[in-house]
Amino acid sequence: MPRRIMQGEVVSDKGDKTVIVKVESRIRHPIYKKFIRRSKKFAAHDETNQYKVGDAVEIQETRPISKTKTWVVLGLLGKTTASKDA
């Protein structure tokens, strides 16, 4: 069975060898036919602790590594620069 691959943004890197990745998807409302953004957070394994908050990464489904970690980071897609200088 093929493993799922998703793209998302790192929202937390506090854990050792773990990053939390937020994946957003667009779904169409069944009645109103309007597109809605849904997001879900996944715990992903980061062996070298190289990914930081704000990085756009690609994650792949894998065997269970811990109780909540069943994803592994494949690589960096880019950096999202959300400035907080407001």
Side-chain angles (χ1 to χ4, degrees):
M1 190 166 132
R3 297 181 177 181
R4 291 185 292 171
I5 295 176
M6 296 185 182
Q7 298 173 357
E9 180 183 353
V10 176
V11 293
S12 174
D13 61 351
K14 302 291 184 196
D16 185 32
K17 297 184 181 181
T18 302
V19 291
I20 306 298
V21 180
K22 181 172 80 169
V23 176
E24 284 193 353
S25 61
R26 287 181 47 196
I27 64 160
R28 191 176 179 120
H29 193 280
I31 296 172
Y32 300 119
K33 310 302 184 207
K34 183 175 179 177
F35 283 101
I36 305 167
R37 285 189 309 177
R38 300 281 178 176
S39 64
K40 187 166 181 176
K41 293 185 209 172
F42 297 97
H45 185 65
D46 172 21
E47 183 66 35
T48 57
N49 288 322
Q50 67 181 8
Y51 303 105
K52 302 299 175 195
V53 174
D55 290 348
V57 295
E58 195 169 44
I59 59 175
Q60 180 181 21
E61 193 174 28
T62 184
R63 62 177 178 80
I65 298 168
S66 69
K67 180 181 176 181
T68 59
K69 222 174 12 173
T70 58
W71 295 84
V72 63
V73 179
L74 289 180
L76 183 69
L77 296 174
K79 296 204 181 275
T80 56
T81 56
S83 65
K84 297 180 181 179
D85 298 334

